[in-house]
Amino acid sequence: MAQISPKLAHTYFTEIASSSTVPLDLEDLLNMVHLRRHNHVVIGDIALRCYKNKSKWTYDERDIRRAAQAFADFRLDVDDVVEVQLPAYRDHDEQDPEHRGQANWRGKIAAWLFWQAREKHHEGRPYEEWDDSWQRIGAGGLPGMLTWDEFVAARSGGRLRENIANTRPLELMAFSGGSLFVPRAYAELLDRWEQVEEGLVAQTRICKGCTAEGPRWGGWRTPSPLGYVTLCPPCSGAAFQRYTGHLRGVLYDSPRVRGTRADDYLCRLCAETRAAAWDHCHDHGYLRGPLCGSCNTFEGKSFPGAFLERQEGAVLHLLECRGCLVRRTLPGRYHVAIVQRHLEATERHRHRGRRCRRQLWVRHVELAHGAHRFELDCWWHSQKWTKDVTVPEALAVVRDFVDQALAAAQPDAVVPAARAASDTTSPA
């Protein structure tokens, strides 16, 4: 079979399916956002397998051409429509965790509508006047006071183009008499997409080693030379070593690290997936440990506050760096997030002679003249003000944060052992 790059696959598909009556959004051929979930890109009801060879992902050219031709030949009668029965609003906490993220095109459209109705309800109103009226269907057949023209105007821009099954449903949807309609053939296509997507997820939840069923979000998926495979934690533990900190205090660019494969180990953070790379501190150059692709991306590219709050063991992992541990600090990119958290917990304004008990919203504005400027906002009382935190004050807040994390941890969890001088020489 002829293997082609994602870019060439996108070009071929776009050219062959240019006459398709289904509005396509083919960026996922390039981005492959669900690779970890099931090693496929699903366009409409067609699953295109992705192949990995020498660390590069490709497609089978025959698959691309067949799928594109199928869409070029697809017949869609815009006058033969069916009404879309949208599900009622359900809060995130009320949903069964097993059902979150399921392929559900009606639920996805409903979520867009409810989200836009909430935005309209909140816009220009004080926090005290917010309620749940936007969660109910209004007289016009849409949630709250939302109108169809408002919804289309808000959701059709280039930045907010909506996508289901790599198609654009807004271009085929119509609203009349309080009801939502789509072409029958398109509704049937999306029904088949749900079945294909859920079938792929069901297959890839099964552990390759023991056939146990794992979480639907791909928590057991681990990278391999040929793509992602599913291994439960016990099977991963049997296949890969647990990292015990034997390289703690070693510089990332030392020969010792270059001669040790990260993918021989389990991820140090999630301890469920095969590691893909050695994580290290970019401020001091010291190794922190082996991480899987997901955890490595979360640490390096997510909002710093999200990593600290949502990833169990995040602070202690960052302190695997000898430079951070000795200085009782964290990498510089985390400092603002830690100070923000500190201000949210400690700063309050006075309302009617009393100290406000509501938590603030804190935003970092700038770093200028040796001080961080933050904007503090109390939504409850419509109060805004600024606060300057000097760089030394910010470092003191970070040090206190680190000390609290160390005090709560086991003493031997982060204290580095002595290393040979050739391994631990400080970076220039």
Side-chain angles (χ1 to χ4, degrees):
M1 62 181 177
Q3 296 297 302
I4 58 175
S5 68
K7 186 175 181 180
L8 190 56
H10 183 275
T11 300
Y12 286 167
F13 207 117
T14 301
E15 292 176 352
I16 297 171
S18 60
S19 61
S20 175
T21 54
V22 177
L24 299 172
D25 188 345
L26 300 174
E27 291 305 302
D28 199 24
L29 284 172
L30 301 172
N31 301 328
M32 301 179 170
V33 296
H34 294 312
L35 268 185
R36 182 183 176 91
R37 188 180 297 180
H38 48 51
N39 283 352
H40 288 76
V41 170
V42 183
I43 300 177
D45 58 351
I46 302 175
L48 297 168
R49 183 179 173 185
C50 306
Y51 298 87
K52 186 179 180 183
N53 182 35
K54 297 181 180 179
S55 300
K56 292 184 178 180
W57 288 93
T58 62
Y59 296 95
D60 183 338
E61 181 180 349
R62 294 169 298 180
D63 292 344
I64 293 296
R65 291 186 176 277
R66 278 195 294 263
Q69 191 61 51
F71 276 96
D73 297 337
F74 190 87
R75 292 294 171 258
L76 187 150
D77 183 356
V78 295
D79 294 323
D80 181 16
V81 298
V82 293
E83 182 178 354
V84 180
Q85 299 293 333
L86 298 178
Y89 176 82
R90 292 188 66 189
D91 190 80
H92 183 270
D93 294 336
E94 298 175 354
Q95 300 175 20
D96 184 343
E98 183 65 18
H99 294 158
R100 292 174 190 163
Q102 278 189 339
N104 181 351
W105 66 272
R106 294 173 181 83
K108 198 166 187 179
I109 293 174
W112 297 342
L113 289 165
F114 283 115
W115 191 92
Q116 204 61 50
R118 183 185 64 177
E119 289 294 295
K120 179 178 181 180
H121 177 76
H122 290 176
E123 186 177 4
R125 294 191 182 193
Y127 185 86
E128 295 88 339
E129 296 181 12
W130 292 2
D131 56 37
D132 62 357
S133 60
W134 56 272
Q135 299 178 9
R136 296 183 289 275
I137 301 300
L142 295 176
M145 301 298 293
L146 184 67
T147 68
W148 180 250
D149 289 341
E150 291 171 338
F151 173 73
V152 172
R155 309 295 284 195
S156 297
R159 186 175 65 86
L160 292 173
R161 287 181 300 190
E162 304 298 358
N163 179 312
I164 297 178
N166 291 301
T167 69
R168 295 179 184 160
L170 289 184
E171 298 182 26
L172 296 175
M173 291 161 57
F175 188 77
S176 177
S179 298
L180 186 63
F181 299 91
V182 297
R184 184 184 305 276
Y186 183 62
E188 293 171 350
L189 175 72
L190 295 184
D191 286 339
R192 294 193 298 273
W193 163 73
E194 292 181 351
Q195 297 173 5
V196 170
E197 185 76 26
E198 289 303 305
L200 290 172
V201 171
Q203 292 174 19
T204 53
R205 292 177 67 175
I206 306 302
C207 174
K208 182 180 179 182
C210 66
T211 69
E213 185 178 62
R216 67 170 289 108
W217 283 103
W220 290 2
R221 301 285 281 168
T222 190
S224 76
L226 298 178
Y228 287 94
V229 297
T230 305
L231 288 173
C232 67
C235 290
S236 289
F240 310 113
Q241 307 174 56
R242 285 187 176 272
Y243 177 69
T244 58
H246 60 284
L247 294 178
R248 188 181 291 133
V250 176
L251 291 172
Y252 175 70
D253 59 359
S254 72
R256 187 172 182 180
V257 173
R258 290 198 297 270
T260 308
R261 294 180 61 92
D263 58 6
D264 286 339
Y265 296 89
L266 279 175
C267 174
R268 187 189 178 278
L269 276 175
C270 69
E272 294 183 347
T273 304
R274 183 184 192 181
W278 287 110
D279 178 44
H280 70 288
C281 177
H282 291 261
D283 287 14
H284 303 115
Y286 290 106
L287 196 73
R288 292 193 290 232
L291 295 185
C292 66
S294 178
C295 289
N296 195 38
T297 300
F298 192 23
E299 188 283 317
K301 302 200 179 213
S302 68
F303 177 66
F307 179 72
L308 294 177
E309 293 172 12
R310 299 176 192 170
Q311 179 62 60
E312 184 178 357
V315 179
L316 295 181
H317 173 73
L318 297 175
L319 290 172
E320 286 288 305
C321 165
R322 176 183 286 274
C324 288
L325 180 60
V326 169
R327 295 169 177 82
R328 292 299 193 268
T329 187
L330 292 181
R333 83 182 201 94
Y334 290 95
H335 291 189
V336 167
I338 293 171
V339 175
Q340 281 180 310
R341 177 191 285 186
H342 172 74
L343 294 177
E344 289 172 352
T346 59
E347 289 294 316
R348 295 293 183 270
H349 70 100
R350 298 193 69 81
H351 180 69
R352 296 179 181 175
R354 296 182 179 180
R355 178 180 169 86
C356 176
R357 294 180 295 176
R358 305 291 185 182
Q359 182 170 316
L360 305 172
W361 182 79
V362 180
R363 182 175 69 91
H364 184 248
V365 178
E366 62 178 349
L367 171 61
H369 310 295
H372 295 276
R373 172 155 292 184
F374 293 88
E375 182 180 84
L376 292 79
D377 186 357
C378 176
W379 289 357
W380 287 84
H381 303 123
S382 300
Q383 293 288 324
K384 288 185 179 181
W385 67 101
T386 60
K387 183 176 179 65
D388 291 341
V389 179
T390 66
V391 170
E393 290 172 339
L395 290 174
V397 171
V398 173
R399 176 180 284 266
D400 183 62
F401 177 82
V402 169
D403 286 343
Q404 291 180 37
L406 291 174
Q410 293 295 329
D412 60 352
V414 293
V415 177
R419 289 288 153 201
S422 60
D423 283 339
T424 60
T425 302
S426 297

